Amino acid sequence: MRLDDDGLLAALHEGIFEQPLWHGFLEKLRARTGSLYTALAFRPIDEDAIIELHTGPATPPHLDRLFSEKYGQRDPLPYRNMREARIYTLDELLNPLDPVQRAYRDEFLHALGIINMRSVRVTEPSGVDAWLTCAGDRAIGSTVSALLTALVPHLRIALRSFVALERERFRSSVTSDAFGRLNFGWLTLDARCRIIDMTPHVEQLFQRTTVLRRGRYDRLTPASPEMDRKLTQLVKSYAAKDEGRPRAFNLSRDPWMDMLVTPIHNRFASPHSKPVAIAYLSGDRWSHADRCEQLADLFGLLPSEARLAWAIASGFSIQEAAIELGITVETARNYSKKVYAKTGARGQAELVRNILTSVLSIAGSP
């Protein structure tokens, strides 16, 4: 029989996407070898973080208690002393002079019906160790050894894929967390403005604002009909020309939210529609009134001073801020002098920087 006649290799490589990991592979290996138990243990980062996966009959409660009381979390066999890719039997792993290992065999393994086993150690280039084991009665012999030997290079590749996938998941998690703290997200759109993919923060945005929503047929739908028309025309132009300049839109001033839409030049494959545009969303989770209260708390500003400070941080000039707040330019200038003194800013640019880089920038972060 060839190595993959029963889909064993396919199950091994697909196992990194399963929960529990490699369950289908271990079940197929158990059926293929006639083992009572099959197990895959691996150490992803350090020796104190070994993950153990196994298939076979459930361990009786009294043996579970025995194992926990006498051996803690790990059995006493010297797996770390195994040479890579060499097949070991139970007798080779057991030290007959070690009373703990003998008791483990007699009181635990034999009680489970494990008289013999075959085990192999595989090391992935980044340093991840794994141990693949078939255990059961005396029928486990040279045929199983040959199968495990043949599986070694494939298991090494599967481990490498697992490590790469976990690294990408970690990086994605860190990036996603950073996006969340910056109140930033993105989504991709097809030619009909239907959402193909997006960051989790965009879904949260849909739930807390009425500015944008996921409409019928997963279409990105701005609340403003005029904005909807502009977005639709822009995305259609990207689809027709496969080019175009990015466009920025202000969706809301209170709370503040902007959107930058840009064409996707290197379009990737999609099981549904082709993405033609990516929309970057950035905004504030807090209202104008909330931000003014936070500024007042942070810098000891009066409410009127805080309103002016936030207007300046939002890009208004003194004259524009005065009109926005319904005060005279002279009053706005007087407020600004007090704001500069209390915030320690020596000018408008420094005031904006002090506000936007203060703890207010993460005040609504998860």
Side-chain angles (χ1 to χ4, degrees), residues 45-275:
I45 299 174
D46 56 60
E47 292 194 3
D48 293 326
I50 292 180
I51 297 173
E52 297 185 73
L53 314 164
H54 62 86
T55 57
T59 304
H62 72 284
L63 290 180
D64 257 339
R65 288 194 298 270
L66 171 68
F67 185 89
S68 181
E69 291 169 3
K70 295 194 68 171
Y71 310 110
Q73 298 300 315
R74 301 178 188 168
D75 70 54
L77 298 182
Y79 295 108
R80 292 174 185 79
N81 296 334
M82 294 168 60
R83 297 206 315 265
E84 195 203 6
R86 181 186 182 281
I87 307 299
Y88 287 79
T89 66
L90 178 59
D91 289 340
E92 288 175 309
L93 289 172
L94 277 169
N95 180 358
L97 302 179
D98 187 326
V100 175
Q101 292 185 18
R102 289 203 313 270
Y104 175 70
R105 177 194 61 191
D106 298 338
E107 297 175 358
F108 186 75
L109 293 182
H110 285 183
L112 286 174
I114 296 175
I115 300 172
N116 201 354
M117 72 180 192
R118 294 291 186 273
S119 187
V120 64
R121 178 181 183 178
V122 178
T123 300
E124 191 271 334
S126 70
V128 174
D129 281 325
W131 295 267
L132 182 60
T133 301
C134 295
D137 58 22
R138 296 187 185 277
I140 295 178
S142 58
T143 302
V144 176
S145 296
L147 178 60
L148 292 182
T149 298
L151 283 171
V152 164
H154 300 281
L155 179 55
R156 189 178 294 116
I157 293 171
L159 285 171
R160 189 180 307 155
S161 299
F162 173 77
V163 170
L165 182 61
E166 287 300 295
R167 283 175 177 162
E168 287 305 313
R169 282 174 175 163
F170 175 75
R171 289 170 181 165
S172 176
S173 174
V174 171
T175 302
S176 179
D177 182 64
F179 281 176
R181 292 182 180 278
L182 294 170
N183 296 317
F184 179 87
W186 58 260
L187 51 84
T188 53
L189 303 171
D190 68 6
R192 298 182 181 180
C193 281
R194 291 178 300 191
I195 300 169
I196 297 176
D197 195 11
M198 64 182 179
T199 56
H201 311 293
V202 176
E203 188 65 55
Q204 296 168 12
L205 181 149
F206 289 156
Q207 295 171 8
R208 69 172 186 264
T209 184
T210 58
V211 175
L212 283 175
R213 65 182 175 87
R214 184 200 289 267
R216 193 176 183 185
Y217 306 119
D218 286 333
R219 188 177 180 279
L220 180 64
T221 307
S224 163
E226 181 183 358
M227 186 65 67
D228 193 7
R229 286 192 296 272
K230 289 180 179 179
L231 178 62
T232 300
Q233 291 171 0
L234 180 62
V235 173
K236 281 183 178 179
S237 71
Y238 289 162
K241 301 177 183 178
D242 194 23
E243 60 181 14
R245 69 178 183 86
R247 289 281 306 277
F249 302 94
N250 175 256
L251 301 176
S252 171
R253 288 196 174 274
D254 189 14
W256 162 68
M257 183 180 299
D258 290 338
M259 177 172 65
L260 176 68
V261 185
T262 183
I264 296 178
H265 299 295
N266 298 319
R267 298 178 184 176
F268 49 86
S270 169
H272 305 293
S273 302
K274 290 183 178 181

Side-chain angles (χ1 to χ4, degrees), residues 272-291:
H272 305 293
S273 302
K274 290 183 178 181
V276 300
I278 183 166
Y280 300 97
L281 295 168
S282 180
D284 200 338
R285 298 186 180 202
W286 299 88
S287 70
H288 178 274
D290 292 328
R291 285 308 193 194

Side-chain angles (χ1 to χ4, degrees), residues 21 24 31 34 42 99 125 133 164 169 200 225-226 278 304 310 354:
L21 293 166
F42 60 97
T133 301
R169 282 174 175 163
E226 181 183 358
I278 183 166
S304 55
W310 188 249
N354 287 353

